[in-house]
Structures are given as structure tokens and as C-alpha cells.
Amino acid sequence: MTSYGSVRSGPRLPIELCDLVLDYLWKHRKTLKSCSLTCRQWLPTTRLHLFDRIYISGSPVDGLFSMRSMLELGSRSSIGSMANYIRTIQFQFPKNPGLQYLALGLLLRFPRVRTLELIDLTLTDDIIGPARCFSQLASVTELMIAETPYWHPWSRRDFYVIIHAFPALDTLRVDTFGLPTELYFDPD
């Protein structure tokens, strides 16, 4: 017997079964959004699919600061940071090389990224700074480099240092004009 205003609970499905159903919805963003608001237990699985891939543009610069603020706010939340759910980042660097270190610092806030697409990355004389940053992205297994500026082409050494900065890299895609045509490099 239930009293007025109380909710009667029926049989519950195991969360593993619910997760399997939600996994089939990975292409249906609208449905995933509705599911994330329906049941608290479904939230981690729906977030995994909703925040799997993001695009970050360094232009305008306000976008970089907004993303940093959002990540800081999420890390203080009891729900946790959305950065833990992101597996693929397409990152367009700002045209100003001075702002690229801000952009690189932002990348370090995504600890579980597996696929990284770097667009418009300009390398200055300090190649070691970006290489140190990239070496901290230990989970990256796939890297795509695109549209490096033709007015500042990468040297073979730059290319070698960046590629070797990713410890778990197993797939590399290059779609650019600013890389040397001869990629064979003997470090000795």
C-alpha cells in the first residue's frame, strides 16, 4: 500500500544491462541528453558518449580562457570533470605563437585523450617546451598533424622530437604542407 505522493518502485534492471542499451545510442545525441536527465545512474555512460570528442579553437582567444574556466569549475564539482570523458580532441592552435603555450597547458587537462589532432601548430625555436607537454599525454595513441603554417615549416628535427614525445603513439597521420618532404632522420 502506498501513501499519497510516494513513488512505488518496480523491479530494477541491473546497471550493466542499462549501460549496454545506452551504448547502442552513441550516435543519437538528443536521446543521450534525455537519458542523462532521466536517471542518475545513467549519467556516467551518457557523458562518455556525449563528451567523447571535442573541438577547441584558439581563435578567438576568449575560447581558450572559457574552456580553461569550464574545466576548473568541473574539477571542483562533486560530479567530476568532463575532461575525464573526452577521448578525441581536435585542437586548432591560435595564430599567435605566444598564446600557444596557453593552449598547450590546456591540453594537459585532458588525461584520457587517445586521439589528438593538432591544427596550425607553429613551432618556435623552443621545441623542447611543446615536447615536454606532449610527453605528459601518455594515453595518446593516435596523432594527426595538419596545416602547419607554410611560412614556418617544421624541420626534420622538430618532427622527430614531437613524434617521439608521445610515449604510446602507434598511429600517425600527416596532412600538411609545412613538413619536410624527406622524413627520414638519423638522430646521430
Side-chain angles (χ1 to χ4, degrees):
M1 181 172 189
T2 61
S3 62
Y4 178 76
S6 67
V7 177
R8 184 171 173 204
S9 176
R12 292 183 171 234
L13 292 173
I15 190 65
E16 294 84 5
L17 186 59
C18 294
D19 285 346
L20 284 173
V21 172
L22 292 170
D23 286 341
Y24 279 103
L25 300 174
W26 67 275
K27 281 188 176 180
H28 304 280
R29 294 186 62 79
K30 187 175 179 181
T31 305
L32 284 169
K33 289 176 186 177
S34 297
C35 289
S36 71
L37 298 172
T38 301
C39 177
R40 190 176 303 211
Q41 288 182 322
W42 296 353
L43 197 54
T45 304
T46 56
R47 279 187 177 172
L48 181 69
H49 296 297
L50 287 170
F51 298 121
D52 179 59
R53 179 183 187 90
I54 64 168
Y55 172 76
I56 302 172
S57 175
S59 178
V61 179
D62 295 343
L64 291 175
F65 291 109
S66 297
M67 177 61 78
R68 186 174 71 178
S69 298
M70 186 172 58
L71 290 170
E72 288 172 354
L73 181 65
S75 66
R76 291 188 298 243
S77 165
S78 62
I79 298 170
S81 175
M82 75 164 191
N84 291 324
Y85 297 100
I86 296 170
R87 300 292 181 267
T88 300
I89 297 179
Q90 187 178 34
F91 201 105
Q92 183 160 8
F93 283 85
K95 301 290 184 198
N96 181 345
L99 293 172
Q100 290 201 6
Y101 281 100
L102 171 67
L104 288 170
L106 187 62
L107 277 177
L108 293 178
R109 296 177 181 249
F110 298 95
R112 297 188 177 146
V113 171
R114 292 187 190 128
T115 302
L116 184 59
E117 299 177 17
L118 304 176
I119 303 167
D120 290 335
L121 176 59
T122 302
L123 296 176
T124 60
D125 293 334
D126 177 26
I127 184 65
I128 303 304
R132 279 194 195 124
C133 173
F134 292 143
S135 68
Q136 294 179 40
L137 298 171
S139 60
V140 172
T141 58
E142 183 178 350
L143 176 65
M144 197 266 287
I145 301 171
E147 301 173 23
T148 59
Y150 64 87
W151 65 87
H152 196 284
W154 291 16
S155 70
R156 283 182 279 165
R157 179 183 173 272
D158 294 343
F159 187 74
Y160 180 82
V161 169
I162 291 296
I163 299 308
H164 285 279
F166 293 94
L169 190 65
D170 63 18
T171 304
L172 174 66
R173 295 180 307 171
V174 178
D175 179 22
T176 185
F177 297 105
L179 289 175
T181 54
E182 180 194 334
L183 295 178
Y184 301 103
F185 179 69
D186 184 9
D188 294 325

